[in-house]
Amino acid sequence: AWLKDLRFGQHYLDKAQEHFLRQNLAAAAPYYKRVLVLDPTNEAATQGLKMYDNLERIRRETAKDKQ
């Protein structure tokens, strides 16, 4: 079962990276989350989610400042 999880994890990471390369972190985030469910120590997924969270925080703060 762990080998199957590993393959799914790699597939999810590949999909996340595809979206990331297209500068679509919102689409990449769910895939990063799936990777972390299977492999909580995955550094690429952790960093991808951090970037997404930071971008969303900046967007919220910018939107709040415009009000």
Side-chain angles (χ1 to χ4, degrees):
W2 65 268
L3 185 56
K4 184 174 157 185
D5 287 347
L6 185 63
R7 281 194 299 248
F8 275 120
Q10 187 59 54
H11 170 74
Y12 293 147
L13 189 58
D14 291 345
K15 294 298 282 183
Q17 299 295 59
E18 286 176 29
H19 289 295
F20 178 83
L21 291 174
R22 293 187 187 111
Q23 298 180 359
N24 188 350
L25 284 174
Y31 290 103
Y32 286 135
K33 289 176 184 177
R34 290 178 190 162
V35 171
L36 291 174
V37 167
L38 298 172
D39 178 9
T41 64
N42 187 291
E43 191 62 29
T46 299
Q47 292 302 315
L49 267 183
K50 280 183 184 177
M51 282 188 273
Y52 170 73
D53 290 340
N54 286 337
L55 181 60
E56 288 302 301
R57 180 182 47 77
I58 291 166
R59 283 186 178 150
R60 282 191 305 273
E61 289 172 0
T62 302
K64 191 187 315 178
D65 289 344
K66 288 182 179 180
Q67 293 178 353

